[in-house]
Amino acid sequence: MPSDSPILVPILGDQLTRTLASLRGRAMDDTVVLMMEVWDEATYVKHHQQKIALVFSAMRHFAAELQGAGWTVDYVRLNDPDNSGSFTGEVARAIERHGPREVHVVEAGEWRVLQAMEEWADKFPCPVTILPDDRYLCSKAEFADWAEGRKTLRMEFFYREMRRKTGLLMEGGEPEGGQWNYDSENRKPPKEGLSAPQRPLFEPDETTREVLDLVSGRFAEHFGDLEPFQWPVTRDEAEQAADAFFVERLPQFGDYQDAMVHGEDDLFHSMLSTSINLGLLDPVELCRRAEEEYREGRAPLNAVEGFIRQIIGWREYVRGFYWHEMPGLAEANELEATRPLPEFYWTGETDMRCLADCVRSTRSNAHAHHIQRLMVLGNFALIAGIEPKAVQDWYLAVYADAYEWVELPNVSAMVLYADGGRLASKPYAASGNYINKMSNYCSGCTYSVSKKTGQGACPFNALYWHFMDRHRDRLESNPRIGQVYSTWDRMGEGRQAAYLASAEAFLDTLEPAREGWAR
Ligand code: FAD
Ligand code: DLZ
Ligand code: SF4
């Protein structure tokens, strides 16, 4: 028999899953679910306006869905007069309201929030149980076991374990098609006029409209366009988005995974990260559906393997890596980069057409696809030597799918090599050639990608060599980089000096971001 004193179950904004560990098996008449819109979470970085709207709207829809199913939900809105502004403050107030006999909560996805949660047991008058978040395929302990004794933690080997564990794309213990990874078939440059079918766009309903009014009233100075707001905010909508992806875009996802086309913001990407990270979609279920598309002959192996690799490979891997490497990862700066983030990351005002387009997409959609984040925005930050903290704050603030557990490993380790190569075997540094090959950006750019130095030369060209030259001591012995230095040495002093002078002259023109954009 339930006692009068219920169990309090706080559910955070990225825990919007009906089968969450803290709800599973609980009796509805013995449980009060607590959901909280709090100022601290909305402002620990100044999130893109669409991101705040997405999280609040998805939270409100999820609360309504739970209530509809019979749960008691205590929902604290941002503008409620007594809202204390923090998770800890709101759980404390809810304990006063409901006098629970215990608090059951699923561990937070971010380090800073879990730290606060771990203090609840001492602060509150009732016992607090923190449950593992079992929505991931690989637990923290399992990742730690896998990482034990390894000097470097390469995704590829982890990924093979996850393939074996799930049986996804496996044939009697062997990978489907004889290869684990079809990455080399994920790099088709865009052909002239490449465009993808429009993904489903979701018009705001009354609940979302109310949230949009709240965000435009209270977060107007945050980066990004609030409208049009078209993200899926419920599990139903997220499933519609996934259905459309599997039918319309998955078949070409593999070929054009690394392609970039000016003004084509989604291409063949799934655009599902926001829904997966909120908890609206189950990542392994998505992989099983992708596999079915392959087995039924509707999508090729390079597309399906590529999609599955991003999810049970990269996504699971960065989550494990984050918890394994924190808190040091947030402070790491192996390359001792100190340059401030340029203002154009926020305004998009630059003559570099590739960067301007990626910032435009980021501002309008709170999204840019992977290769834009990695090889345009990230590559520039790496080779220009931008300070990791500023880059991390930028990525965490501007993308609707950004939570520190997934953002930080991608930014600090994959993009900036700030972890000294624990994650990546070499820095992803590239000159303008790479961007030219994989996009149509350069044809309309003020700069000339074929010009290496001097007036009008693509800045990526000189910055690339400036980067290689200034990190020679660290990188020369890396077998994946070493031969770059033979090329550099063969250039002779005159050409080298021209590259270095061009890069310096360009770096001198960069205007640092004004204070207050990110925090
Ligand atoms: P798709 O291209 O359709 O890929 C399918 C899914 O795979 C994604 O939805 C995502 O869940 C997963 N995935 C793909 N690549 C990665 C990756 N490298 N790490 C983790 N998951 C991955 N992803 C986030 O979810 N949040 C972030 O804050 C984030 N920050 C990033 C920062 C940088 C510098 C880089 C290089 C990548 C970042 N990513 C992040 C990964 C990736 O860019 C996004 O997941 C992807 O662009 C989301 O769009 P999509 O759903 O269309 O992805
Ligand atoms: C991202 C975000 C925002 C903007 N606001 C809230 C909020 O008000 N309430 C909430 O429960 N969650 C929010 N989130 C998501 C949290 O930041 C996320 O759940 C934690 O970072 C996980 O550790
Ligand atoms: Fe970017 Fe250089 Fe190409 Fe211009 S020329 S779009 S700056 S890579």
Side-chain angles (χ1 to χ4, degrees), residues 334-336 417 420 427 465-479 481-482 484-485 488-489:
E334 168 78 10
L335 299 181
E336 296 169 18
Y417 203 69
W465 285 115
H466 193 271
F467 172 83
M468 288 299 171
D469 183 60
R470 69 181 189 268
H471 296 299
R472 184 168 193 151
D473 287 352
R474 272 193 188 80
L475 300 180
E476 194 172 19
S477 58
N478 182 323
I481 298 260
V484 163
Y485 290 100
W488 179 236
D489 291 340

PDB file of all heavy atoms in Angstrom, residues 334-336 417 420 427 465-479 481-482 484-485 488-489:
ATOM      1  N   GLU A 334      46.206  21.453 -24.575  1.00  0.00           N
ATOM      2  CA  GLU A 334      47.497  20.910 -24.964  1.00  0.00           C
ATOM      3  C   GLU A 334      48.268  21.841 -25.907  1.00  0.00           C
ATOM      4  O   GLU A 334      49.475  21.983 -25.812  1.00  0.00           O
ATOM      5  CB  GLU A 334      47.261  19.550 -25.640  1.00  0.00           C
ATOM      6  CG  GLU A 334      48.439  18.943 -26.368  1.00  0.00           C
ATOM      7  CD  GLU A 334      49.453  18.290 -25.446  1.00  0.00           C
ATOM      8  OE1 GLU A 334      49.149  18.131 -24.249  1.00  0.00           O
ATOM      9  OE2 GLU A 334      50.553  17.951 -25.934  1.00  0.00           O
ATOM     10  N   LEU A 335      47.554  22.493 -26.820  1.00  0.00           N
ATOM     11  CA  LEU A 335      48.249  23.324 -27.806  1.00  0.00           C
ATOM     12  C   LEU A 335      48.430  24.769 -27.320  1.00  0.00           C
ATOM     13  O   LEU A 335      48.870  25.631 -28.082  1.00  0.00           O
ATOM     14  CB  LEU A 335      47.508  23.293 -29.152  1.00  0.00           C
ATOM     15  CG  LEU A 335      47.389  21.899 -29.798  1.00  0.00           C
ATOM     16  CD1 LEU A 335      46.650  21.979 -31.141  1.00  0.00           C
ATOM     17  CD2 LEU A 335      48.743  21.227 -29.995  1.00  0.00           C
ATOM     18  N   GLU A 336      48.096  25.019 -26.073  1.00  0.00           N
ATOM     19  CA  GLU A 336      48.282  26.330 -25.441  1.00  0.00           C
ATOM     20  C   GLU A 336      47.713  27.459 -26.302  1.00  0.00           C
ATOM     21  O   GLU A 336      48.376  28.472 -26.561  1.00  0.00           O
ATOM     22  CB  GLU A 336      49.762  26.555 -25.132  1.00  0.00           C
ATOM     23  CG  GLU A 336      50.273  25.542 -24.120  1.00  0.00           C
ATOM     24  CD  GLU A 336      51.793  25.535 -23.969  1.00  0.00           C
ATOM     25  OE1 GLU A 336      52.418  26.519 -24.368  1.00  0.00           O
ATOM     26  OE2 GLU A 336      52.311  24.526 -23.470  1.00  0.00           O
ATOM     27  N   TYR A 417      42.064  19.348 -30.433  1.00  0.00           N
ATOM     28  CA  TYR A 417      43.200  18.513 -30.028  1.00  0.00           C
ATOM     29  C   TYR A 417      43.719  18.957 -28.654  1.00  0.00           C
ATOM     30  O   TYR A 417      44.882  18.787 -28.302  1.00  0.00           O
ATOM     31  CB  TYR A 417      44.316  18.637 -31.074  1.00  0.00           C
ATOM     32  CG  TYR A 417      45.288  17.486 -31.120  1.00  0.00           C
ATOM     33  CD1 TYR A 417      44.898  16.238 -31.575  1.00  0.00           C
ATOM     34  CD2 TYR A 417      46.616  17.647 -30.735  1.00  0.00           C
ATOM     35  CE1 TYR A 417      45.799  15.178 -31.638  1.00  0.00           C
ATOM     36  CE2 TYR A 417      47.522  16.588 -30.791  1.00  0.00           C
ATOM     37  CZ  TYR A 417      47.096  15.362 -31.249  1.00  0.00           C
ATOM     38  OH  TYR A 417      47.969  14.313 -31.316  1.00  0.00           O
ATOM     39  N   GLY A 420      45.429  16.502 -26.287  1.00  0.00           N
ATOM     40  CA  GLY A 420      46.740  15.961 -26.659  1.00  0.00           C
ATOM     41  C   GLY A 420      46.663  14.631 -27.391  1.00  0.00           C
ATOM     42  O   GLY A 420      47.631  13.874 -27.402  1.00  0.00           O
ATOM     43  N   PRO A 427      45.413  16.127 -35.288  1.00  0.00           N
ATOM     44  CA  PRO A 427      44.469  17.247 -35.386  1.00  0.00           C
ATOM     45  C   PRO A 427      43.818  17.271 -36.770  1.00  0.00           C
ATOM     46  O   PRO A 427      44.474  16.976 -37.767  1.00  0.00           O
ATOM     47  CB  PRO A 427      45.360  18.487 -35.208  1.00  0.00           C
ATOM     48  CG  PRO A 427      46.664  18.004 -34.692  1.00  0.00           C
ATOM     49  CD  PRO A 427      46.804  16.568 -35.096  1.00  0.00           C
ATOM     50  N   TRP A 465      49.487  26.339 -42.627  1.00  0.00           N
ATOM     51  CA  TRP A 465      50.952  26.182 -42.473  1.00  0.00           C
ATOM     52  C   TRP A 465      51.463  26.859 -41.211  1.00  0.00           C
ATOM     53  O   TRP A 465      52.405  26.402 -40.571  1.00  0.00           O
ATOM     54  CB  TRP A 465      51.676  26.703 -43.725  1.00  0.00           C
ATOM     55  CG  TRP A 465      51.523  25.727 -44.860  1.00  0.00           C
ATOM     56  CD1 TRP A 465      50.866  25.928 -46.033  1.00  0.00           C
ATOM     57  CD2 TRP A 465      52.016  24.365 -44.899  1.00  0.00           C
ATOM     58  NE1 TRP A 465      50.899  24.798 -46.818  1.00  0.00           N
ATOM     59  CE2 TRP A 465      51.610  23.821 -46.142  1.00  0.00           C
ATOM     60  CE3 TRP A 465      52.740  23.560 -44.033  1.00  0.00           C
ATOM     61  CZ2 TRP A 465      51.913  22.509 -46.523  1.00  0.00           C
ATOM     62  CZ3 TRP A 465      53.043  22.261 -44.414  1.00  0.00           C
ATOM     63  CH2 TRP A 465      52.630  21.746 -45.643  1.00  0.00           C
ATOM     64  N   HIS A 466      50.830  27.949 -40.829  1.00  0.00           N
ATOM     65  CA  HIS A 466      51.195  28.637 -39.592  1.00  0.00           C
ATOM     66  C   HIS A 466      50.985  27.678 -38.418  1.00  0.00           C
ATOM     67  O   HIS A 466      51.824  27.546 -37.516  1.00  0.00           O
ATOM     68  CB  HIS A 466      50.320  29.889 -39.451  1.00  0.00           C
ATOM     69  CG  HIS A 466      50.778  30.861 -38.400  1.00  0.00           C
ATOM     70  ND1 HIS A 466      50.365  30.770 -37.097  1.00  0.00           N
ATOM     71  CD2 HIS A 466      51.610  31.930 -38.459  1.00  0.00           C
ATOM     72  CE1 HIS A 466      50.905  31.761 -36.392  1.00  0.00           C
ATOM     73  NE2 HIS A 466      51.674  32.482 -37.201  1.00  0.00           N
ATOM     74  N   PHE A 467      49.856  26.966 -38.454  1.00  0.00           N
ATOM     75  CA  PHE A 467      49.534  25.989 -37.407  1.00  0.00           C
ATOM     76  C   PHE A 467      50.589  24.878 -37.378  1.00  0.00           C
ATOM     77  O   PHE A 467      51.130  24.531 -36.324  1.00  0.00           O
ATOM     78  CB  PHE A 467      48.144  25.396 -37.674  1.00  0.00           C
ATOM     79  CG  PHE A 467      47.784  24.235 -36.776  1.00  0.00           C
ATOM     80  CD1 PHE A 467      47.280  24.448 -35.502  1.00  0.00           C
ATOM     81  CD2 PHE A 467      47.944  22.917 -37.209  1.00  0.00           C
ATOM     82  CE1 PHE A 467      46.948  23.373 -34.670  1.00  0.00           C
ATOM     83  CE2 PHE A 467      47.617  21.846 -36.390  1.00  0.00           C
ATOM     84  CZ  PHE A 467      47.118  22.083 -35.111  1.00  0.00           C
ATOM     85  N   MET A 468      50.882  24.317 -38.552  1.00  0.00           N
ATOM     86  CA  MET A 468      51.844  23.212 -38.627  1.00  0.00           C
ATOM     87  C   MET A 468      53.213  23.677 -38.131  1.00  0.00           C
ATOM     88  O   MET A 468      53.894  22.965 -37.394  1.00  0.00           O
ATOM     89  CB  MET A 468      51.951  22.697 -40.064  1.00  0.00           C
ATOM     90  CG  MET A 468      50.739  21.923 -40.503  1.00  0.00           C
ATOM     91  SD  MET A 468      50.517  20.453 -39.442  1.00  0.00           S
ATOM     92  CE  MET A 468      48.920  19.903 -39.972  1.00  0.00           C
ATOM     93  N   ASP A 469      53.589  24.867 -38.546  1.00  0.00           N
ATOM     94  CA  ASP A 469      54.907  25.370 -38.160  1.00  0.00           C
ATOM     95  C   ASP A 469      54.992  25.616 -36.652  1.00  0.00           C
ATOM     96  O   ASP A 469      55.951  25.205 -36.000  1.00  0.00           O
ATOM     97  CB  ASP A 469      55.194  26.666 -38.939  1.00  0.00           C
ATOM     98  CG  ASP A 469      56.585  27.191 -38.638  1.00  0.00           C
ATOM     99  OD1 ASP A 469      57.560  26.448 -38.905  1.00  0.00           O
ATOM    100  OD2 ASP A 469      56.708  28.318 -38.107  1.00  0.00           O
ATOM    101  N   ARG A 470      53.964  26.222 -36.085  1.00  0.00           N
ATOM    102  CA  ARG A 470      54.094  26.562 -34.654  1.00  0.00           C
ATOM    103  C   ARG A 470      53.954  25.345 -33.745  1.00  0.00           C
ATOM    104  O   ARG A 470      54.378  25.386 -32.593  1.00  0.00           O
ATOM    105  CB  ARG A 470      53.156  27.712 -34.254  1.00  0.00           C
ATOM    106  CG  ARG A 470      51.694  27.441 -34.248  1.00  0.00           C
ATOM    107  CD  ARG A 470      50.892  28.698 -33.849  1.00  0.00           C
ATOM    108  NE  ARG A 470      49.502  28.361 -33.637  1.00  0.00           N
ATOM    109  CZ  ARG A 470      48.559  28.414 -34.566  1.00  0.00           C
ATOM    110  NH1 ARG A 470      48.841  28.837 -35.762  1.00  0.00           N
ATOM    111  NH2 ARG A 470      47.301  28.064 -34.277  1.00  0.00           N
ATOM    112  N   HIS A 471      53.415  24.234 -34.265  1.00  0.00           N
ATOM    113  CA  HIS A 471      53.294  23.032 -33.426  1.00  0.00           C
ATOM    114  C   HIS A 471      54.221  21.913 -33.868  1.00  0.00           C
ATOM    115  O   HIS A 471      53.983  20.742 -33.542  1.00  0.00           O
ATOM    116  CB  HIS A 471      51.830  22.569 -33.391  1.00  0.00           C
ATOM    117  CG  HIS A 471      50.945  23.580 -32.732  1.00  0.00           C
ATOM    118  ND1 HIS A 471      51.114  23.978 -31.433  1.00  0.00           N
ATOM    119  CD2 HIS A 471      49.914  24.311 -33.216  1.00  0.00           C
ATOM    120  CE1 HIS A 471      50.214  24.903 -31.127  1.00  0.00           C
ATOM    121  NE2 HIS A 471      49.488  25.121 -32.203  1.00  0.00           N
ATOM    122  N   ARG A 472      55.259  22.274 -34.580  1.00  0.00           N
ATOM    123  CA  ARG A 472      56.142  21.247 -35.133  1.00  0.00           C
ATOM    124  C   ARG A 472      56.678  20.307 -34.049  1.00  0.00           C
ATOM    125  O   ARG A 472      56.693  19.084 -34.223  1.00  0.00           O
ATOM    126  CB  ARG A 472      57.309  21.924 -35.873  1.00  0.00           C
ATOM    127  CG  ARG A 472      58.191  20.914 -36.551  1.00  0.00           C
ATOM    128  CD  ARG A 472      59.161  21.544 -37.517  1.00  0.00           C
ATOM    129  NE  ARG A 472      59.739  20.510 -38.337  1.00  0.00           N
ATOM    130  CZ  ARG A 472      60.177  20.667 -39.566  1.00  0.00           C
ATOM    131  NH1 ARG A 472      60.132  21.852 -40.146  1.00  0.00           N
ATOM    132  NH2 ARG A 472      60.688  19.653 -40.226  1.00  0.00           N
ATOM    133  N   ASP A 473      57.097  20.885 -32.939  1.00  0.00           N
ATOM    134  CA  ASP A 473      57.698  20.057 -31.880  1.00  0.00           C
ATOM    135  C   ASP A 473      56.746  18.958 -31.422  1.00  0.00           C
ATOM    136  O   ASP A 473      57.155  17.837 -31.154  1.00  0.00           O
ATOM    137  CB  ASP A 473      58.046  20.904 -30.649  1.00  0.00           C
ATOM    138  CG  ASP A 473      59.243  21.767 -30.942  1.00  0.00           C
ATOM    139  OD1 ASP A 473      59.850  21.577 -32.023  1.00  0.00           O
ATOM    140  OD2 ASP A 473      59.544  22.656 -30.114  1.00  0.00           O
ATOM    141  N   ARG A 474      55.470  19.309 -31.326  1.00  0.00           N
ATOM    142  CA  ARG A 474      54.493  18.325 -30.840  1.00  0.00           C
ATOM    143  C   ARG A 474      54.064  17.329 -31.927  1.00  0.00           C
ATOM    144  O   ARG A 474      53.786  16.185 -31.640  1.00  0.00           O
ATOM    145  CB  ARG A 474      53.231  19.035 -30.361  1.00  0.00           C
ATOM    146  CG  ARG A 474      53.285  19.452 -28.928  1.00  0.00           C
ATOM    147  CD  ARG A 474      51.890  19.853 -28.462  1.00  0.00           C
ATOM    148  NE  ARG A 474      51.979  20.427 -27.142  1.00  0.00           N
ATOM    149  CZ  ARG A 474      52.351  21.680 -26.911  1.00  0.00           C
ATOM    150  NH1 ARG A 474      52.651  22.486 -27.919  1.00  0.00           N
ATOM    151  NH2 ARG A 474      52.432  22.129 -25.678  1.00  0.00           N
ATOM    152  N   LEU A 475      53.989  17.799 -33.159  1.00  0.00           N
ATOM    153  CA  LEU A 475      53.314  16.990 -34.188  1.00  0.00           C
ATOM    154  C   LEU A 475      54.234  16.212 -35.114  1.00  0.00           C
ATOM    155  O   LEU A 475      53.818  15.245 -35.748  1.00  0.00           O
ATOM    156  CB  LEU A 475      52.397  17.890 -35.042  1.00  0.00           C
ATOM    157  CG  LEU A 475      51.292  18.620 -34.271  1.00  0.00           C
ATOM    158  CD1 LEU A 475      50.464  19.483 -35.223  1.00  0.00           C
ATOM    159  CD2 LEU A 475      50.387  17.630 -33.528  1.00  0.00           C
ATOM    160  N   GLU A 476      55.513  16.612 -35.180  1.00  0.00           N
ATOM    161  CA  GLU A 476      56.378  16.022 -36.201  1.00  0.00           C
ATOM    162  C   GLU A 476      56.545  14.512 -36.039  1.00  0.00           C
ATOM    163  O   GLU A 476      56.668  13.770 -37.010  1.00  0.00           O
ATOM    164  CB  GLU A 476      57.750  16.706 -36.157  1.00  0.00           C
ATOM    165  CG  GLU A 476      58.565  16.402 -37.391  1.00  0.00           C
ATOM    166  CD  GLU A 476      59.835  17.236 -37.444  1.00  0.00           C
ATOM    167  OE1 GLU A 476      60.254  17.775 -36.374  1.00  0.00           O
ATOM    168  OE2 GLU A 476      60.418  17.351 -38.521  1.00  0.00           O
ATOM    169  N   SER A 477      56.540  14.074 -34.778  1.00  0.00           N
ATOM    170  CA  SER A 477      56.774  12.645 -34.561  1.00  0.00           C
ATOM    171  C   SER A 477      55.495  11.814 -34.778  1.00  0.00           C
ATOM    172  O   SER A 477      55.528  10.587 -34.716  1.00  0.00           O
ATOM    173  CB  SER A 477      57.284  12.421 -33.140  1.00  0.00           C
ATOM    174  OG  SER A 477      56.322  12.931 -32.248  1.00  0.00           O
ATOM    175  N   ASN A 478      54.371  12.480 -35.028  1.00  0.00           N
ATOM    176  CA  ASN A 478      53.116  11.753 -35.269  1.00  0.00           C
ATOM    177  C   ASN A 478      53.161  11.147 -36.677  1.00  0.00           C
ATOM    178  O   ASN A 478      53.250  11.865 -37.671  1.00  0.00           O
ATOM    179  CB  ASN A 478      51.939  12.746 -35.148  1.00  0.00           C
ATOM    180  CG  ASN A 478      50.581  12.080 -35.324  1.00  0.00           C
ATOM    181  OD1 ASN A 478      50.430  11.167 -36.133  1.00  0.00           O
ATOM    182  ND2 ASN A 478      49.599  12.557 -34.580  1.00  0.00           N
ATOM    183  N   PRO A 479      53.103   9.809 -36.768  1.00  0.00           N
ATOM    184  CA  PRO A 479      53.251   9.181 -38.078  1.00  0.00           C
ATOM    185  C   PRO A 479      52.183   9.614 -39.087  1.00  0.00           C
ATOM    186  O   PRO A 479      52.397   9.538 -40.284  1.00  0.00           O
ATOM    187  CB  PRO A 479      53.122   7.680 -37.773  1.00  0.00           C
ATOM    188  CG  PRO A 479      52.612   7.570 -36.384  1.00  0.00           C
ATOM    189  CD  PRO A 479      52.884   8.855 -35.679  1.00  0.00           C
ATOM    190  N   ILE A 481      51.168  12.625 -39.449  1.00  0.00           N
ATOM    191  CA  ILE A 481      51.384  14.027 -39.818  1.00  0.00           C
ATOM    192  C   ILE A 481      52.766  14.216 -40.435  1.00  0.00           C
ATOM    193  O   ILE A 481      52.982  15.096 -41.265  1.00  0.00           O
ATOM    194  CB  ILE A 481      51.345  14.936 -38.543  1.00  0.00           C
ATOM    195  CG1 ILE A 481      49.996  14.856 -37.879  1.00  0.00           C
ATOM    196  CG2 ILE A 481      51.745  16.353 -38.846  1.00  0.00           C
ATOM    197  CD1 ILE A 481      49.078  15.991 -38.166  1.00  0.00           C
ATOM    198  N   GLY A 482      53.699  13.378 -39.980  1.00  0.00           N
ATOM    199  CA  GLY A 482      55.129  13.582 -40.267  1.00  0.00           C
ATOM    200  C   GLY A 482      55.440  14.071 -41.671  1.00  0.00           C
ATOM    201  O   GLY A 482      56.192  15.050 -41.843  1.00  0.00           O
ATOM    202  N   VAL A 484      53.957  15.840 -43.704  1.00  0.00           N
ATOM    203  CA  VAL A 484      53.603  17.245 -43.953  1.00  0.00           C
ATOM    204  C   VAL A 484      54.845  18.124 -43.820  1.00  0.00           C
ATOM    205  O   VAL A 484      55.042  19.087 -44.563  1.00  0.00           O
ATOM    206  CB  VAL A 484      52.518  17.675 -42.936  1.00  0.00           C
ATOM    207  CG1 VAL A 484      52.396  19.175 -42.849  1.00  0.00           C
ATOM    208  CG2 VAL A 484      51.184  17.035 -43.292  1.00  0.00           C
ATOM    209  N   TYR A 485      55.695  17.735 -42.865  1.00  0.00           N
ATOM    210  CA  TYR A 485      56.884  18.575 -42.627  1.00  0.00           C
ATOM    211  C   TYR A 485      57.921  18.429 -43.747  1.00  0.00           C
ATOM    212  O   TYR A 485      58.687  19.362 -43.995  1.00  0.00           O
ATOM    213  CB  TYR A 485      57.460  18.291 -41.229  1.00  0.00           C
ATOM    214  CG  TYR A 485      56.521  18.826 -40.176  1.00  0.00           C
ATOM    215  CD1 TYR A 485      55.635  17.989 -39.495  1.00  0.00           C
ATOM    216  CD2 TYR A 485      56.459  20.195 -39.912  1.00  0.00           C
ATOM    217  CE1 TYR A 485      54.730  18.486 -38.582  1.00  0.00           C
ATOM    218  CE2 TYR A 485      55.554  20.710 -38.990  1.00  0.00           C
ATOM    219  CZ  TYR A 485      54.683  19.851 -38.324  1.00  0.00           C
ATOM    220  OH  TYR A 485      53.783  20.368 -37.420  1.00  0.00           O
ATOM    221  N   TRP A 488      56.748  20.944 -46.147  1.00  0.00           N
ATOM    222  CA  TRP A 488      57.046  22.288 -45.604  1.00  0.00           C
ATOM    223  C   TRP A 488      58.528  22.618 -45.805  1.00  0.00           C
ATOM    224  O   TRP A 488      58.883  23.701 -46.269  1.00  0.00           O
ATOM    225  CB  TRP A 488      56.650  22.298 -44.133  1.00  0.00           C
ATOM    226  CG  TRP A 488      56.879  23.561 -43.321  1.00  0.00           C
ATOM    227  CD1 TRP A 488      57.599  23.646 -42.175  1.00  0.00           C
ATOM    228  CD2 TRP A 488      56.349  24.876 -43.563  1.00  0.00           C
ATOM    229  NE1 TRP A 488      57.551  24.921 -41.667  1.00  0.00           N
ATOM    230  CE2 TRP A 488      56.785  25.693 -42.507  1.00  0.00           C
ATOM    231  CE3 TRP A 488      55.564  25.437 -44.560  1.00  0.00           C
ATOM    232  CZ2 TRP A 488      56.464  27.054 -42.416  1.00  0.00           C
ATOM    233  CZ3 TRP A 488      55.236  26.794 -44.473  1.00  0.00           C
ATOM    234  CH2 TRP A 488      55.690  27.587 -43.415  1.00  0.00           C
ATOM    235  N   ASP A 489      59.381  21.646 -45.511  1.00  0.00           N
ATOM    236  CA  ASP A 489      60.830  21.897 -45.625  1.00  0.00           C
ATOM    237  C   ASP A 489      61.249  22.091 -47.082  1.00  0.00           C
ATOM    238  O   ASP A 489      62.119  22.904 -47.373  1.00  0.00           O
ATOM    239  CB  ASP A 489      61.624  20.743 -44.999  1.00  0.00           C
ATOM    240  CG  ASP A 489      61.457  20.732 -43.481  1.00  0.00           C
ATOM    241  OD1 ASP A 489      61.070  21.778 -42.917  1.00  0.00           O
ATOM    242  OD2 ASP A 489      61.680  19.670 -42.856  1.00  0.00           O
TER     243      ASP A 489
END
